[in-house]
Amino acid sequence: MNQLLDKVIKVSLVTMILLSLFLSWKIWTKPANRSLAEKDKNSGEELVHSKKMTDVYVPTKLFYHESKDEYLYSNKESMILDIHHKVTGFNFNNGKEMNQKEIEEIIYAGDAFNLLFPEEYPLSVYEDIYDLTLDIPSEMKDMMFNRIIFSLKDDKIYFVNHQLDKGISYDVEGDSKSIESILKDKKKANYLPVSLTPENIAGIYYLVDDVELKTYSYILAPQSFTTFTKAFFNQPNDLYSNESDNVNVSNGEGESLTIQSATGEVTYFGKLKKGKDRGNNSLYYDTFQYVENLGNTLGTLRYFDSKEGDIIYRNYIEGYPVFGQDMKGRLEVGVKNKSVFVRTNQETIQIPIPSEETVSLIPTEELMANLVAAGVDLSKVDDVQIAYEWQANAETKQVVDLVPTWYVKFEDAWYPATVLMEQGGAK
């Protein structure tokens, strides 16, 4: 009887939440064919706390080298951010360029830890946004990095690029003992055993065992068009819309915003917001303006990938990136000739629904073997990553299922491992 009552209460709660979200969506996503300025004034001010670059350009993986032959992996966000915060509070001295042989030696050293960012970006940008004094050697001013290696034994830190052939070493001064105590708390870290050998593809740590991860279901909340006009438009007032199934909003300055009714995909085009000229590094600051103004609307966004003139920020859940069709879980910003093109999705995950379902993922080495058997050229594999795949819920469109899935970066594009194997590596 109690179980039946609990089920009825749960279903009723979800139904009421869905009804509330649906009514909100109907109100906000159907603007009339007229000036929207008055409607904007009457809608009330939305409280948006701007994001900082230090909230978004962060490491997402930690590898603890307990000894030379024993490596452990954690993606626990709170621990990683705590350790990284301590690292950025250190003093950095005697910056020296490293050669490939020196990097190879430190990569496998024990009594150390690695912090990995999802993608490379300039060390000079890292220095700026974290207000550090690195005194980067002049010949390394343009160095890109995605890996911080910290030797607990020597109190030395190393910034290394993705290819593991360029790096800079520093002597550091700070409280490394407090970091060590965090690393040794294995219960809180929730470590998984990993291996790293010269045979590993692209310097990737391989998960040694099967991994069992929870699936998650979330109630969706479509964001109103005003959320995006306020965040993206240079001139967010005196906007006009065209009557159609899709939301089409524009102004006299040439800015336009479209939301596809069928998919929720959002596209914005306009002039790049004015900002300080930062030379070759301007792209990171220019694109971040469109993340900053959204605050927490799209959840936990992280810098994830970059291509020429284009940067991708991706939603993270429980320390894993989210992949979905139609730009779900993703914000992509492209800049060209002082114009900007932004793509994302109005559907955002808001309220988790309790679930005890789990998915078991195979070890990395077995995944690689399966890729080879399917005809995939591993020399073109740049990275592999456990992610949460955004999948439609079988019972209702107002709920999304996030399912743990192996993803592979192949020839600079990300694919679910199963899809890549079906294609045999052929695009």
Side-chain angles (χ1 to χ4, degrees), residues 232 265-269 283 287-288 290-291 294 298 301-302 304-315 326-335 340-345:
F232 299 160
E265 186 171 340
V266 178
T267 57
Y268 163 79
F269 177 79
L283 179 66
T287 61
F288 181 73
Y290 300 88
V291 178
L294 282 170
L298 299 185
L301 285 179
R302 303 286 188 234
F304 185 79
D305 210 347
S306 65
K307 299 176 183 178
E308 188 174 348
D310 193 275
I311 287 187
I312 295 169
Y313 300 91
R314 199 173 285 280
N315 202 200
D326 304 315
M327 304 302 295
K328 291 170 182 174
R330 169 178 175 175
L331 177 74
E332 184 171 348
V333 187
V335 176
V340 64
F341 184 63
V342 184
R343 298 173 67 200
T344 186
N345 197 290

Side-chain angles (χ1 to χ4, degrees), residues 46-81:
E46 296 178 26
L47 184 62
V48 175
H49 298 287
S50 297
K51 278 190 179 292
K52 300 177 182 177
M53 290 188 80
T54 50
D55 297 328
V56 177
Y57 283 76
V58 297
T60 56
K61 298 178 183 177
L62 180 142
F63 297 93
Y64 176 33
H65 292 201
E66 197 170 25
S67 68
K68 189 176 174 66
D69 302 310
E70 191 172 359
Y71 307 149
L72 301 169
Y73 159 63
S74 175
N75 72 329
K76 188 172 182 181
E77 289 181 322
S78 59
M79 183 179 77
I80 293 173
L81 295 178

Side-chain angles (χ1 to χ4, degrees), residues 397-412:
K397 291 183 179 180
Q398 278 70 49
V399 173
V400 63
D401 296 327
L402 299 180
V403 182
T405 308
W406 272 116
Y407 269 74
V408 180
K409 192 176 186 181
F410 180 82
E411 292 190 327
D412 210 29

Side-chain angles (χ1 to χ4, degrees), residues 161-220:
N161 68 348
H162 178 72
Q163 292 77 20
L164 304 179
D165 59 7
K166 290 183 180 179
I168 302 176
S169 67
Y170 290 91
D171 298 320
V172 293
E173 297 175 4
D175 186 11
S176 59
K177 292 296 181 184
S178 66
I179 295 178
E180 197 166 1
S181 65
I182 296 172
L183 291 167
K184 289 184 175 181
D185 191 341
K186 294 185 179 181
K187 187 174 181 180
K188 288 186 178 180
N190 196 26
Y191 286 123
L192 297 172
V194 291
S195 67
L196 181 66
T197 71
E199 288 73 36
N200 287 18
I201 299 298
I204 300 167
Y205 286 84
Y206 283 13
L207 288 165
V208 175
D209 303 319
D210 290 350
V211 182
E212 193 166 298
L213 295 172
K214 278 189 175 183
T215 63
Y216 289 92
S217 293
Y218 277 81
I219 294 176
L220 295 173

Side-chain angles (χ1 to χ4, degrees), residues 95-115:
K96 296 179 182 177
E97 181 180 358
M98 302 173 69
N99 59 41
Q100 191 166 353
K101 184 178 179 181
E102 290 171 329
I103 293 172
E104 289 173 355
E105 289 176 357
I106 194 62
I107 281 292
Y108 306 104
D111 199 16
F113 65 89
N114 284 217
L115 293 172

Side-chain angles (χ1 to χ4, degrees), residues 324-382:
Q325 295 182 339
D326 304 315
M327 304 302 295
K328 291 170 182 174
R330 169 178 175 175
L331 177 74
E332 184 171 348
V333 187
V335 176
K336 187 175 183 180
N337 299 328
K338 297 300 180 181
S339 293
V340 64
F341 184 63
V342 184
R343 298 173 67 200
T344 186
N345 197 290
Q346 73 172 149
E347 290 189 350
T348 58
I349 49 180
Q350 295 288 322
I351 305 169
I353 300 173
S355 173
E356 295 301 322
E357 293 183 14
T358 61
V359 170
S360 183
L361 298 179
I362 59 176
T364 313
E365 190 165 357
E366 186 177 341
L367 171 68
M368 294 297 188
N370 291 347
L371 291 171
V372 171
V376 176
D377 183 354
L378 292 189
S379 67
K380 298 179 180 180
V381 171
D382 196 47

